Amino acid sequence: MESSGPKKGCCVSIRDFFTSAKFLIYVGHAMSTWGDRMWNFAVAVFLVELYGNSLLLTAVYGLVVAGSVLLLGAIIGDWVDRNPRLKVAQTSLVVQNTCVILCGILLMVVFQFKSQLVELYNGWILTICYILVISIANIANLASTATSITIQRDWVVVVAGQDSNKLADMNATVRIIDQLTNILAPMLVGQIMAFGSHFIGCGFISGWNLCSMFVEYTLLWKVYKMTPALAVKAGQKEPQQQELKQLNVPKDLESGQSPEESSQPLMNEISVPNDADSPQKHGCFYQMTEPLRTVKSGWVAYYNQNIFFAGMSLAFLYMTVLGFDCITTGYAYTQGLNGSILSLLMGASAVMGICGTVAFTWIRKKCGLIRTGFISGIAQLSCLMLCVVSVFAPGSPFDLSVSPFQDLYTHLMGEPTLPEADHTLTGLVRAGNLTTAAPSPEPSHPPSLLSVSLLFAGVIAARVGLWSFDLTVTQLIQENVIESERGVINGVQNSMNYLLDLLHFIMVILAPNPEAFGLLVIISVSFVAMGHMMYFRFAFKNLGNHLFLCCSPEQKVEAVETPSPPTTV
């Protein structure tokens, strides 16, 4: 009878965990990201298949998605701030899943009746279908951005309460879910399309999102009911309370309160309650220019944050070709790596990413949050040095004598290429190379794989520091941005990330041949180094000489120093 006590306590603990708001958020996030990863993988394949194995539609889709988030990130964040949490989460969830379902149905129609659609009105109906697919898919991505800001940047913070350790554990768990779904979801939908058809793949994704939408909606409702703090939002306070808070900001700053208590909400300063009845605010021109003012105020608020350099450092890490995207994969194909080897490398990359999330929680407890970012940055940059060495290692195609702009010039000037060029990515790249030099005889011995091996060794090893650093900056933003600006700041952060991501694609477009890839590697490592230099400035400003001292959990400084009042821009 005595032994039943501890056993019962263990069962109760397990039951409490599986019924807690934290676990329900994990389940909802897993279902949401599983659907997102399946759709993001499949839509690129669908667009390539529909346009005759051309990358044109995929490139247009990527450009539209990146440009939309870049331009509308602050507006989406402002919408998240201005509306109740449950309304924002439910609306973005329904819009996202509905758009994916509509895209899936539309693609099923196109795959089933493509031959008939081509003949209607000289193919214009099919072109309209392409435009609708890209437009609706872009709306789904914007809704997904709103969902990500709401759940991962706001709800998680509220559910964790004031417990920084709990917040770090939740962030790490959410990131592990992202890593796992990023591997498993594309594998599942890929097998369905391989053994079935693209038509069946579209139907499966649409059905998954339809079922998932109702389950996620229910989970959100339960989390909202289990966490009363979610019903209270700083942005929804009475105007009189907001005005009193603004008047008391200088006094709070002098008393040395925490950043969340003392930060001055710039978004609330812009919309002064006394000006609400101004005649100018009812004019047509004022209403038309309101989105522009929202974007401007969002970027100004982002610039005035005390974690501005930390956010910028994370954005600079997006300006890189050293990741497992289509660019690095295409380069690997030109160097002799097949799909089987690349799939193993991607799996190893995911495992290292999970190790990075685990390392984040351990280092943060030992050294503090700010020092964790500093240590993670040094680890990532040290591993990327292998990529720089690979540029000059045996087997590297790096050759500055070959103009990196030759392929671009060839396509713009319309110079002829090989008449029977292979239509794979490898064939396209090699065909571009052969237009610039005379064909060389086949080598008598296989080319060295030392260069590409060092490249991927550096990329995979750097994932530990990369994901640990990403989690560090994410939690810094969560803990040091006031609640009323949490959405718009994260929206601008997403815009910054997409801006640097766009720049890295433009860089590849300007220098697409393998001989110039080494130059892209050096540029990428330089941007990563600049990003970590920004973080070092942020860390040194807040910790000073204590940055290099590993202290005990009782002595460590977790919070960022009290920021100075926002400057007038």
Side-chain angles (χ1 to χ4, degrees):
M1 296 295 293
E2 293 180 359
S3 61
S4 62
K7 192 172 183 180
K8 182 179 179 181
C10 181
C11 295
V12 171
S13 300
I14 295 175
R15 184 196 64 188
D16 291 343
F17 173 75
F18 284 107
T19 56
S20 64
K22 179 171 67 172
F23 179 76
L24 296 182
I25 283 184
Y26 294 156
V27 175
H29 180 69
M31 297 188 68
S32 177
T33 53
W34 188 278
D36 285 346
R37 298 301 185 269
M38 286 197 304
W39 170 248
N40 291 334
F41 171 81
V43 69
V45 178
F46 294 153
L47 293 177
V48 171
E49 179 70 20
L50 286 175
Y51 209 67
N53 292 328
S54 171
L55 296 175
L56 178 61
L57 285 183
T58 305
V60 171
Y61 170 71
L63 183 63
V64 169
V65 165
S68 298
V69 178
L70 175 61
L71 295 176
L72 303 177
I75 297 177
I76 294 173
D78 181 66
W79 175 74
V80 171
D81 285 334
R82 291 177 181 272
N83 292 276
R85 287 189 173 97
L86 186 61
K87 175 184 176 182
V88 170
Q90 292 177 338
T91 302
S92 57
L93 173 67
V94 171
V95 171
Q96 175 189 357
N97 287 274
T98 302
C99 289
V100 173
I101 293 170
L102 290 177
C103 273
I105 295 174
L106 185 57
L107 286 171
M108 291 172 67
V109 173
V110 173
F111 278 120
Q112 189 70 18
F113 305 103
K114 184 178 180 181
S115 58
Q116 291 88 338
L117 293 174
V118 172
E119 299 176 356
L120 290 176
Y121 299 98
N122 296 324
W124 279 104
I125 299 297
L126 186 61
T127 303
I128 293 175
C129 290
Y130 293 156
I131 296 174
L132 286 176
V133 167
I134 292 176
S135 301
I136 298 174
N138 182 50
I139 296 175
N141 183 75
L142 293 175
S144 177
T145 301
T147 302
S148 176
I149 294 175
T150 303
I151 304 300
Q152 299 183 41
R153 303 295 187 266
D154 187 27
W155 282 45
V156 169
V157 181
V158 177
V159 171
Q162 302 296 324
D163 192 341
S164 182
N165 292 329
K166 184 177 179 181
L167 178 60
D169 291 338
M170 291 186 68
N171 286 332
T173 304
V174 166
R175 198 53 50 89
I176 290 175
I177 293 173
D178 290 339
Q179 292 285 333
L180 292 176
T181 54
N182 198 31
I183 300 174
L184 300 177
M187 288 176 58
L188 175 63
V189 71
Q191 294 300 317
I192 292 174
M193 290 189 295
F195 291 98
S197 64
H198 291 87
F199 181 86
I200 297 176
C202 292
F204 178 79
I205 294 175
S206 297
W208 172 273
N209 280 272
L210 179 61
C211 298
S212 175
M213 178 172 60
F214 293 104
V215 177
E216 292 177 55
Y217 196 95
T218 304
L219 291 175
L220 287 175
W221 175 259
K222 288 186 176 181
V223 172
Y224 186 80
K225 289 299 182 182
M226 295 171 62
T227 313
L230 289 172
V232 181
K233 197 171 185 180
Q236 307 300 319
K237 292 180 180 180
E238 295 296 328
Q240 292 85 355
Q241 295 178 351
Q242 291 285 6
E243 186 175 1
L244 289 174
K245 183 177 180 180
Q246 293 173 15
L247 292 175
N248 292 330
V249 166
K251 183 178 180 180
D252 294 338
L253 289 173
E254 293 176 359
S255 62
Q257 293 185 2
S258 64
E260 185 168 352
E261 295 173 338
S262 59
S263 295
Q264 191 172 5
L266 186 137
M267 297 300 297
N268 294 328
E269 292 178 5
I270 296 173
S271 55
V272 181
N274 294 337
D275 295 337
D277 299 330
S278 175
Q280 296 179 354
K281 290 198 173 185
H282 299 286
C284 180
F285 179 77
Y286 183 89
Q287 297 294 332
M288 292 176 60
T289 57
E290 184 175 0
L292 296 177
R293 291 193 304 275
T294 301
V295 172
K296 177 185 175 183
S297 60
W299 284 88
V300 170
Y302 180 77
Y303 174 77
N304 287 329
Q305 294 295 317
N306 55 314
I307 44 85
F308 168 72
F309 282 104
M312 286 292 295
S313 66
L314 178 62
F316 265 60
L317 302 191
Y318 282 77
M319 179 65 175
T320 178
V321 296
L322 302 175
F324 281 90
D325 55 6
C326 56
I327 296 170
T328 310
T329 303
Y331 173 77
Y333 273 113
T334 66
Q335 301 306 301
L337 299 185
N338 55 35
S340 176
I341 295 177
L342 282 173
S343 63
L344 294 176
L345 294 176
M346 292 180 67
S349 172
V351 171
M352 297 302 287
I354 294 175
C355 292
T357 60
V358 175
F360 162 75
T361 57
W362 184 81
I363 298 174
R364 193 199 66 82
K365 290 178 182 178
K366 296 293 182 180
C367 302
L369 185 60
I370 297 180
R371 292 185 187 86
T372 300
F374 181 71
I375 296 172
S376 302
I378 294 177
Q380 182 193 8
L381 200 56
S382 300
C383 294
L384 290 181
M385 289 298 105
L386 289 175
C387 300
V388 177
V389 174
S390 72
V391 175
F392 307 98
S396 173
F398 184 57
D399 187 0
L400 291 179
S401 63
V402 178
S403 173
F405 308 103
Q406 181 63 39
D407 284 353
L408 181 65
Y409 174 80
T410 299
H411 288 291
L412 290 176
M413 299 304 295
E415 294 183 10
T417 57
L418 289 181
E420 297 181 357
D422 188 8
H423 290 284
T424 63
L425 179 59
T426 305
L428 286 173
V429 175
R430 288 175 177 168
N433 295 338
L434 289 174
T435 59
T436 62
S440 58
E442 291 292 330
S444 57
H445 55 84
S448 174
L449 296 178
L450 178 60
S451 174
V452 69
S453 299
L454 288 173
L455 175 69
F456 280 95
V459 171
I460 293 173
R463 310 303 277 186
V464 177
L466 171 64
W467 288 113
S468 179
F469 183 81
D470 179 84
L471 284 169
T472 299
V473 177
T474 297
Q475 186 159 341
L476 282 171
I477 295 175
Q478 290 172 334
E479 293 183 352
N480 293 281
V481 174
I482 60 175
E483 187 177 338
S484 60
E485 294 183 359
R486 199 173 283 160
V488 70
I489 297 303
N490 282 284
V492 175
Q493 181 66 51
N494 285 340
S495 297
M496 283 298 305
N497 297 344
Y498 272 93
L499 174 60
L500 273 297
D501 194 44
L502 272 178
L503 292 180
H504 114 265
F505 278 112
I506 294 174
M507 179 177 67
V508 175
I509 292 173
L510 294 176
N513 51 328
E515 288 83 0
F517 190 80
L519 182 62
L520 303 185
V521 169
I522 296 174
I523 294 175
S524 299
V525 175
S526 300
F527 268 85
V528 172
M530 286 189 289
H532 289 306
M533 288 174 63
M534 292 181 183
Y535 185 85
F536 176 78
R537 174 179 176 180
F538 161 80
F540 190 80
K541 176 183 177 182
N542 291 281
L543 293 182
N545 296 329
H546 299 286
L547 173 62
F548 304 102
L549 299 176
C550 253
C551 48
S552 62
E554 292 78 11
Q555 296 173 330
K556 66 186 178 184
V557 181
E558 286 287 353
V560 181
E561 69 173 4
T562 304
S564 58
T567 56
T568 303
V569 178

